[in-house]
Amino acid sequence: MEKLKSSTKFQIDRVRRFFVNKKYTRYLCLKNIEVLAAEESQIFRLNGNHRVLYIGLKYDYLDASRGLSYEEYNFFHTLLNIYELDLLRFEFYECYVKYGREKACSILKEIVLTYKIDTIFITLFEDYFEHSDLKYFRDSLGIDLVLWLFDDDKRYHKTKALVDCSSKAVTTIAERHHKRLEMGLNSVLCQFSANHSIYRKMDLTKDIDVSFVGQCFEDRKNYIDYLLKEGINVKAWGNGWGTGRLGQSELIEVYNRSKIVLNFSAAFGNPDLRFVKGRIFEITATGAFLLTEKTDELDLYLSIGTECDIFDNKEELLSKINYYLQEEKERENIAMNGYNRTLSDYTYDKALRKIIN
């Protein structure tokens, strides 16, 4: 009976996603490519400047019920504010869902040729692209094809063929960057940053002792349960915590209201591999005090003990929380240093201007 219930729930969820994400439209569309290109592209600025076509997820994992994506808030909204660039947008991944791969790739080609694109900026979700088209854009049309690689720790081998089609492959992981350089590829090492026009410091009362925002998985629950057991007033939001997902404005308010904000460095499916994450710079961009799980490369970007602090196990985390809750002045000084460093060195405005020269 339980197995039947689980199977039924899975089928219902599958049907729900089919309609929520409009997968049915691929079976209904009879429009020609130029009409679809006109309808599916969005023009934000056409002033005769360097022309960028942005391709990235609007919704988290293509699912509108999960809210807007990291890419939407950080990459797309940053490009919107760089007024020196002409900007168009194509929902390639949405079109893949609606019309299938062949038609989505045809629409992309139509948009590129119609609007005389100078740079295609792709934040990679999945490789649904026609590689011969991408090489044609780069080699025959002289288009700068920028590919921002997410999860490069896990997807390095899977994305090799796509990287070979790009003009610039952007990674946040130094080891992957150096490996591509050795292969003669044009790799760009660029750490995650923050869109400082969204993630910003606000004058709010610090009425939350310790907060964490992110999914509940693996060691994260063990850490949070341990802190609660030890009497720490810690609040967690995100999928799996039972508190629901925070909207973007709510998330920024939580950071601004928190005395200490936690970050865990291990990714889902890779508990033993720790990396610098974009969440780190979102936290410091709001002026919050960051206490993050130790990772080897963090000290390349932030000064430990003066711009943030780290922990390596539950006992050390508990000890530092108790210390910094007592030492308000030191905590606020570190938070301010981290805030100033982030605005100076780690905003997407600076990063994208450098990548799209």
Side-chain angles (χ1 to χ4, degrees):
M1 181 61 71
E2 289 300 321
K3 193 171 183 180
L4 178 61
K5 286 181 181 178
S6 177
S7 176
T8 302
K9 185 178 181 299
F10 173 78
Q11 294 300 330
I12 291 172
D13 190 53
R14 191 174 178 183
V15 171
R16 181 191 65 80
R17 291 199 306 270
F18 183 84
F19 285 100
V20 168
N21 296 319
K22 300 181 180 179
K23 292 185 179 181
Y24 58 86
T25 53
R26 69 170 64 183
Y27 304 108
L28 304 177
C29 183
L30 299 174
K31 297 174 183 176
N32 59 36
I33 293 300
E34 58 264 34
V35 172
L36 288 172
E39 290 181 350
E40 298 291 346
S41 59
Q42 295 174 281
I43 301 171
F44 295 91
R45 286 186 297 273
L46 286 180
N47 299 320
N49 299 320
H50 188 93
R51 192 158 295 173
V52 177
L53 175 64
Y54 173 80
I55 296 174
L57 288 182
K58 182 172 185 177
Y59 302 114
D60 196 29
Y61 290 94
L62 270 179
D63 187 350
S65 69
R66 293 174 61 104
L68 296 178
S69 68
Y70 174 88
E71 300 95 308
E72 181 73 8
Y73 284 118
N74 287 285
F75 293 97
F76 177 66
H77 280 260
T78 295
L79 288 171
L80 269 180
N81 289 325
I82 302 179
Y83 295 104
E84 307 93 284
L85 297 174
D86 286 356
L87 180 63
L88 295 88
R89 176 182 196 153
F90 173 42
E91 299 284 356
F92 175 82
Y93 301 116
E94 291 280 351
C95 283
Y96 169 83
V97 171
K98 290 194 288 185
Y99 309 125
R101 180 176 180 272
E102 182 178 353
K103 188 160 285 188
C105 292
S106 296
I107 297 170
L108 172 59
K109 190 172 184 179
E110 185 74 19
I111 292 170
V112 168
L113 294 174
T114 299
Y115 292 103
K116 298 180 181 178
I117 300 300
D118 297 305
T119 295
I120 302 174
F121 189 95
I122 300 172
T123 58
L124 183 61
F125 173 56
E126 291 288 351
D127 182 9
Y128 302 134
F129 299 95
E130 176 55 62
H131 291 186
S132 61
D133 285 348
L134 298 183
K135 289 180 178 179
Y136 170 68
F137 299 155
R138 182 192 65 188
D139 299 335
S140 298
L141 301 182
I143 292 173
D144 194 28
L145 205 154
V146 179
L147 178 65
W148 188 291
L149 297 161
F150 286 97
D151 297 324
D152 205 19
D153 56 321
K154 295 177 281 190
R155 302 204 292 176
Y156 173 80
H157 296 287
K158 186 178 178 181
T159 58
K160 275 186 174 181
L162 183 61
V163 167
D164 192 49
C165 302
S166 68
S167 308
K168 298 172 187 171
V170 186
T171 181
T172 61
I173 300 176
E175 184 267 336
R176 301 304 197 202
H177 167 64
H178 294 303
K179 203 165 187 178
R180 290 191 179 102
L181 289 179
E182 290 171 2
M183 296 167 62
L185 297 171
N186 188 5
S187 179
V188 176
L189 180 63
C190 183
Q191 192 44 258
F192 288 119
S193 298
N195 181 356
H196 65 294
S197 66
I198 294 178
Y199 299 94
R200 60 193 182 276
K201 187 175 172 63
M202 303 164 70
D203 186 18
L204 298 179
T205 301
K206 302 281 187 183
D207 58 355
I208 300 173
D209 282 349
V210 184
S211 68
F212 171 70
V213 181
Q215 293 187 66
C216 176
F217 61 78
E218 295 169 353
D219 281 350
R220 293 178 177 182
K221 188 175 187 306
N222 293 334
Y223 271 102
I224 298 299
D225 286 347
Y226 171 77
L227 293 177
L228 289 170
K229 184 180 176 182
E230 294 296 324
I232 299 299
N233 184 19
V234 56
K235 296 183 178 181
W237 288 270
N239 293 331
W241 295 110
T243 50
R245 179 186 180 276
L246 292 178
Q248 200 67 12
S249 60
E250 293 174 308
L251 172 114
I252 294 165
E253 286 182 353
V254 164
Y255 287 166
N256 274 275
R257 291 169 53 200
S258 299
K259 297 172 185 175
I260 297 172
V261 180
L262 303 180
N263 177 70
F264 296 99
S265 301
F268 180 73
N270 267 347
D272 297 324
L273 293 175
R274 300 177 182 180
F275 295 99
V276 176
K277 295 184 176 182
R279 184 74 78 190
I280 284 173
F281 303 105
E282 293 174 356
I283 293 167
T284 53
T286 66
F289 174 82
L290 169 66
L291 185 53
T292 182
E293 191 174 21
K294 182 181 178 181
T295 179
D296 289 340
E297 295 184 354
L298 179 63
D299 59 356
L300 298 176
Y301 305 101
L302 293 173
S303 175
I304 311 300
T306 56
E307 295 172 338
C308 68
D309 210 343
I310 59 173
F311 62 90
D312 199 25
N313 53 60
K314 288 185 284 190
E315 293 74 23
E316 185 178 20
L317 174 59
L318 176 63
S319 174
K320 289 195 173 182
I321 286 175
N322 283 323
Y323 175 79
Y324 283 116
L325 286 177
Q326 292 295 320
E327 299 297 330
E328 180 179 356
K329 184 175 180 180
E330 182 178 357
R331 185 185 75 231
E332 291 301 315
N333 284 339
I334 292 173
M336 183 56 70
N337 291 338
Y339 171 73
N340 290 333
R341 179 69 182 278
T342 300
L343 292 192
S344 172
D345 295 346
Y346 306 118
T347 68
Y348 274 118
D349 180 84
K350 291 183 178 180
L352 298 190
R353 286 175 186 272
K354 187 175 181 180
I355 292 169
I356 305 171
N357 5 44

